[in-house]
Amino acid sequence: MNKLIITPIALSLLAFALIGCGEGEDAIFGSGGSNKLTISTIERSSNAIARIDTTYNTGARSVKKTNIVGSYNQNLDDLDMSVVLADKFEGTLEDKNIEVKDRVVKRPIYEKNSSNKLKFETSYRTLNLSGVNARDYNAGNSYVNRRGIFTDLNNYTKIPSNIGFPSGSVCYIPVITSERSFFVFDAKDKTGFRTLDNWVSDAEQRFNDKRQSSTTRINIGSNNSQKTAQVKFFAVNNDPEYIYSGVDYDSSIYEADFVDNAAPIPNEDSIRGVVDCTIVNKVAADFLATQITKYY
């Protein structure tokens, strides 16, 4: 799971062909159906760059990684079940009974030891990227003053700034609807920390630029007996806010994603602010993979 920017977009990025050097990996769960939606992201870790494609079918989800540069070895959300913890609630988010209609993906959350389910769905709004290049984003002089369409052309600055996305390129802007706010994690998110306090001490030191932060602790789960902590680093200059979440569950410490059902809808107006266009369709992902292969 993406632990850097933990907002509702984080779970869409769990949805993580293919052009470039390197081989593909994939995992498929459930059974296919007639409705299908594929979303793609470009992920970087150290010197490795990979394309992550997630396809949602009715009843199924598949995750595929294709290396573009080097060998990307970060954990992918390719397991078929995650644990969900909320206020007085414990359950699972599973790769079953997924419903896909056009660009809306519904994934029920099942309550533990119960027939109850929580509503959880993501609607992927679209924005035309045809002709958009790196100069369509203005960093401004502070994070709040940024404007324009931010794409991976801004993340991969070796690509010339006048090269634009081809016709048919689309970015997806995920809008999440959930009955509750919740923490979600799976077996791959297990850390080596012995206590939540140890995890907090480490998380509070993740930036060495002395930026301001705050730490919040709450209890959640079916009896609100599970301990969690969140470390928030505030936005500074052109760098956004970062939130890291840790959970003490079954005597192990996990790094979790957090879905806030009260979070504002992502911005879609490039005049008012920044539109995050780093989740894209196949045409845009093919283009990015080609350009990264050429210039990296």
Side-chain angles (χ1 to χ4, degrees):
M1 297 181 182
N2 186 333
K3 295 303 184 300
L4 295 182
I5 304 178
I6 307 304
T7 64
I9 200 171
L11 283 189
S12 70
L13 294 179
L14 304 179
F16 304 119
L18 297 158
I19 298 174
C21 51
E23 69 286 353
E25 293 180 9
D26 61 87
I28 300 177
F29 314 105
S31 58
S34 57
N35 293 330
K36 182 171 72 172
L37 175 68
T38 298
I39 63 175
S40 303
T41 61
I42 305 296
E43 304 293 332
R44 175 162 53 187
S45 176
S46 299
N47 294 322
I49 305 172
R51 170 176 170 171
I52 311 300
D53 296 297
T54 294
T55 298
Y56 292 101
N57 285 297
T58 296
R61 178 180 71 104
S62 68
V63 183
K64 183 165 187 172
K65 177 189 80 174
T66 296
N67 288 315
I68 301 173
V69 175
S71 181
Y72 182 83
N73 58 8
Q74 297 298 300
N75 285 340
L76 300 181
D77 177 43
D78 57 2
L79 300 182
D80 61 357
M81 186 182 75
S82 298
V83 176
V84 172
L85 296 177
D87 181 37
K88 297 181 180 179
F89 180 90
E90 178 177 344
T92 56
L93 178 65
E94 303 177 35
D95 291 323
K96 66 179 183 180
N97 298 327
I98 296 173
E99 297 180 32
V100 181
K101 184 176 182 181
D102 298 325
R103 295 184 303 276
V104 178
V105 178
K106 298 181 179 181
R107 300 181 66 191
I109 296 172
Y110 301 91
E111 185 171 12
K112 184 177 181 180
N113 300 323
S114 170
S115 60
N116 295 333
K117 293 186 292 185
L118 294 184
K119 177 182 178 182
F120 174 56
E121 66 180 55
T122 305
S123 176
Y124 291 93
R125 301 190 184 186
T126 60
L127 186 146
N128 183 8
L129 285 181
S130 301
V132 170
N133 60 40
R135 293 179 292 197
D136 283 283
Y137 166 71
N138 183 354
N141 57 9
S142 70
Y143 181 73
V144 296
N145 290 327
R146 301 184 313 153
R147 294 292 184 275
I149 301 173
F150 185 89
T151 72
D152 275 317
L153 293 176
N154 302 102
N155 283 326
Y156 297 93
T157 55
K158 291 183 181 180
I159 301 172
S161 62
N162 64 337
I163 293 180
F165 284 89
S167 177
S169 299
V170 170
C171 93
Y172 294 120
I173 303 169
V175 178
I176 285 180
T177 301
S178 176
E179 288 186 44
R180 299 193 188 189
S181 300
F182 60 85
F183 295 83
V184 58
F185 55 94
D186 61 36
K188 287 189 174 182
D189 297 313
K190 187 176 180 178
T191 73
F193 295 103
R194 297 182 61 184
T195 68
L196 191 59
D197 287 339
N198 293 150
W199 178 88
V200 168
S201 295
D202 177 81
E204 290 176 338
Q205 303 301 316
R206 293 189 183 182
F207 290 90
N208 57 12
D209 56 4
K210 298 182 179 180
R211 70 179 66 190
Q212 292 186 323
S213 66
S214 66
T215 300
T216 303
R217 297 173 184 262
I218 60 173
N219 287 359
I220 55 174
S222 56
N223 296 312
N224 280 354
S225 58
Q226 310 291 341
K227 296 181 179 179
T228 69
Q230 288 187 304
V231 179
K232 177 192 294 186
F233 292 89
F234 300 106
V236 58
N237 298 326
N238 289 318
D239 212 9
E241 174 183 278
Y242 293 82
I243 301 177
Y244 298 89
S245 301
V247 176
D248 186 341
Y249 182 77
D250 281 352
S251 301
S252 294
I253 308 302
Y254 294 84
E255 188 124 351
D257 283 332
F258 178 70
V259 174
D260 183 357
N261 69 346
I265 294 175
N267 180 48
E268 299 177 58
D269 186 345
S270 61
I271 297 176
R272 295 176 52 194
V274 175
V275 182
D276 187 328
C277 275
T278 52
I279 304 173
V280 297
N281 70 344
K282 182 181 185 302
V283 174
D286 286 346
F287 162 77
L288 287 168
T290 299
Q291 297 303 315
I292 292 169
T293 299
K294 181 177 180 179
Y295 292 102
Y296 284 80

